[in-house]
Amino acid sequence: MRNPRTATTGVDARATGAVAATAVACLALAGCSTPAAATPGISDDVVTVGTHQPLTGPAAAGYSSISAATKAYFDHVNASGGIHDRTIEYVVKDDGYNPATTQTVVRELVQSDGVFAMLNGLGTPTHSSVLDYLDQHDVPDLFVASGSTLWDDPEGHPGTFGFNADYVVEGAALAQYATDEHPDQKVCVLGQDDDFGEEFLAGVERVTGADGVTAHESYSTSNQDVTAQIGALQAAGCETVLLATVNGFTALAVGTAAKMGWSPRWMASSSGGDYPTLVELLGEDVAPTLLEGFVSANYLPFGPDGEWVELFRQINDEYNDGAPFDGNTVYGMSVGYLFAEALAQAGENPTRESLVQAIESGELVGNGILPLSFGADDHSAFDGVGITVVADGVQDYVGATYALDGESVTAVEPQPVALENDGVPTS
């Protein structure tokens, strides 16, 4: 793995020389730590990380609340003394879900704000546009908010790590659940017209085979009309429809089908399966009826009675102005927890290299319902998901959990992580 480069632009040459001399001395002394000043985004008492998020634009309705939840979790950590006596500063910049804007704000975060790491940059088209840039500048690119397999490339992008269960895993798990529960039904797929939809379909076909998908339709996020796609699926006699959709298009598909008098069984990726968000989008008057029995994949502790959810609700009330509590809240705080855990493991004087090594060590636990899969040769977070079902207006796990091992999908037992130390990691 390449050693991270230290940015010295605008730094006095004598100061740069002093840092270099200290580094040489450290090489000669066992146990000597790199001074905080040598690492961008690290001071004696603050760690600065950044992100690009769709606070406005076409993805804002489903995802704009994530970064606020992450910041609220960091406020909780900071109130407890931070990590190794450093508070976490989270710099959030709006990219409007536009790759060109993503490139601009990420350069600002790296070159002007001097962030230690990029954390949970959201979206496949947006984040893929800065993937090489972050690698070239040796900025740890952590826990990307997308299920694309692009982030699992230890050789090509050694500092990049995913967070979501990838789309192949989710497609395979949902297809296996559909096959197990309703073996004789016609299975169809509606997906986004990019790698989200393509990789999800590939996962479905690992279970059903290419001939096992009765019909496949795709949509573009630039077109808010899926009437033609829903009509085609209905005409094909689809009984179970698997969705590679973001929340807005999940609601659009379900609502359009309802207007056409059609009600297949819906099963969605975690990216578009958050019940509270869907209720908000569809309306409280019709959503409970349309979404009864709605199935989704998930990998985070979203059970309504769980100890993590109870903690996150408390944090949300105290540090996030009591914003609506939904899957985005749990997601954002879970990302924050995982970063805090990695930072704690990176040492008292963390460097970008020690941060990456902490994640690759395989010792991080996270707070998911299955063990993390991070390692030196694996930069994906989860290789399995659980199945949630909406019953009487409550979305919860039903016990069915699947993992993808190579080409095989297997049923596994969930292994939820217990809450410790009020949700503040220690080394």
Side-chain angles (χ1 to χ4, degrees), residues 7-89:
T8 58
T9 302
V11 178
D12 185 271
R14 288 171 296 177
T16 304
V19 170
T22 302
V24 170
C26 281
L27 291 175
L29 297 173
C32 183
S33 300
T34 303
T39 301
I42 298 288
S43 71
D44 289 339
D45 53 9
V46 177
V47 177
T48 302
V49 293
T51 190
H52 63 89
Q53 296 286 319
L55 304 183
T56 59
Y63 304 118
S64 62
S65 61
I66 290 175
S67 56
T70 304
K71 183 181 182 304
Y73 171 77
F74 287 154
D75 288 344
H76 170 71
V77 170
N78 294 343
S80 301
I83 303 296
H84 294 307
D85 297 322
R86 290 186 179 88
T87 58
I88 302 172
E89 180 182 0

Side-chain angles (χ1 to χ4, degrees), residues 356-368:
V356 170
Q357 289 174 342
I359 302 169
E360 288 188 331
S361 71
E363 296 179 2
L364 299 187
V365 176
N367 70 334

Side-chain angles (χ1 to χ4, degrees), residues 5 160 175 193 199 245-246 249 261:
R5 294 188 294 271
T160 297
D193 64 348
E199 292 183 354
T245 51
V246 295
F249 277 84

Side-chain angles (χ1 to χ4, degrees), residues 312-337:
F312 289 163
R313 284 188 184 278
Q314 294 172 1
I315 294 173
N316 192 58
D317 289 341
E318 185 170 0
Y319 297 106
N320 200 20
D321 297 324
F325 189 91
D326 56 23
N328 287 338
T329 314
V330 173
Y331 181 96
M333 292 190 186
S334 296
V335 166
Y337 177 82

Side-chain angles (χ1 to χ4, degrees), residues 39-423:
T39 301
I42 298 288
S43 71
D44 289 339
D45 53 9
V46 177
V47 177
T48 302
V49 293
T51 190
H52 63 89
Q53 296 286 319
L55 304 183
T56 59
Y63 304 118
S64 62
S65 61
I66 290 175
S67 56
T70 304
K71 183 181 182 304
Y73 171 77
F74 287 154
D75 288 344
H76 170 71
V77 170
N78 294 343
S80 301
I83 303 296
H84 294 307
D85 297 322
R86 290 186 179 88
T87 58
I88 302 172
E89 180 182 0
Y90 196 35
V91 183
V92 180
K93 300 214 172 187
D94 180 18
D95 66 4
Y97 207 65
N98 182 322
T101 307
T102 306
Q103 294 174 38
T104 298
V105 301
V106 166
R107 287 191 183 95
E108 291 174 356
L109 288 166
V110 174
Q111 298 175 9
S112 300
D113 298 297
V115 297
F116 177 49
M118 190 66 53
L119 177 63
N120 202 225
L122 190 145
T124 302
T126 47
H127 197 75
S128 60
S129 73
V130 295
L131 189 60
D132 290 338
Y133 173 83
L134 293 170
D135 178 65
Q136 291 160 7
H137 287 76
D138 293 304
V139 179
D141 182 16
L142 308 186
F143 316 142
V144 182
S146 156
S148 173
T149 57
L150 286 171
W151 327 129
D152 183 16
D153 182 17
E155 292 188 5
H157 297 94
T160 297
F161 299 82
F163 182 73
N164 301 29
D166 72 49
Y167 303 135
V168 177
V169 168
E170 290 197 325
L174 287 169
Q176 190 63 58
Y177 180 74
T179 300
D180 289 347
E181 296 296 312
H182 312 284
D184 299 323
Q185 290 204 344
K186 291 183 178 181
V187 173
C188 300
V189 175
L190 172 65
Q192 203 160 287
D193 64 348
D194 55 18
D195 73 319
F196 180 10
E198 293 167 2
E199 292 183 354
F200 184 89
L201 177 63
V204 172
E205 291 181 343
R206 289 194 184 186
V207 175
T208 66
D211 296 333
V213 176
T214 301
H216 168 232
E217 293 290 325
S218 61
Y219 69 90
S220 169
T221 56
S222 63
N223 185 355
Q224 299 285 317
D225 185 353
V226 294
T227 304
Q229 292 91 329
I230 296 299
L233 294 173
Q234 182 181 21
C238 301
E239 297 168 284
T240 298
V241 179
L242 308 184
L243 299 169
T245 51
V246 295
N247 284 311
F249 277 84
T250 300
L252 189 61
V254 172
T256 299
K259 290 178 181 178
M260 299 170 64
W262 185 48
S263 54
R265 180 172 286 101
W266 302 102
M267 299 188 180
S269 159
S270 62
S271 297
D274 180 52
Y275 180 71
T277 301
L278 296 176
V279 169
E280 182 179 351
L281 293 170
L282 287 166
E284 294 184 0
D285 53 337
V286 299
T289 299
L290 297 181
L291 296 175
E292 182 68 14
F294 178 83
V295 175
S296 180
N298 208 334
Y299 44 91
L300 296 175
F302 194 58
D305 300 321
E307 56 185 359
W308 284 99
V309 170
E310 181 180 355
L311 171 67
F312 289 163
R313 284 188 184 278
Q314 294 172 1
I315 294 173
N316 192 58
D317 289 341
E318 185 170 0
Y319 297 106
N320 200 20
D321 297 324
F325 189 91
D326 56 23
N328 287 338
T329 314
V330 173
Y331 181 96
M333 292 190 186
S334 296
V335 166
Y337 177 82
L338 186 57
F339 174 74
E341 187 184 4
L343 186 63
Q345 293 295 327
E348 294 185 3
N349 290 301
T351 64
R352 287 171 165 175
E353 184 177 39
S354 72
L355 182 65
V356 170
Q357 289 174 342
I359 302 169
E360 288 188 331
S361 71
E363 296 179 2
L364 299 187
V365 176
N367 70 334
I369 65 165
L370 288 170
L372 292 166
S373 54
F374 289 133
D377 299 321
D378 190 345
H379 284 196
S380 61
F382 297 98
D383 59 12
V385 294
I387 301 298
T388 69
V389 177
V390 175
D392 296 325
V394 177
Q395 185 176 38
D396 199 1
Y397 289 104
V398 293
T401 309
Y402 300 93
L404 184 61
D405 182 8
E407 296 294 319
S408 302
V409 181
T410 57
V412 297
E413 289 295 322
Q415 301 178 47
V417 178
L419 175 67
E420 296 181 355
N421 197 39
D422 201 28

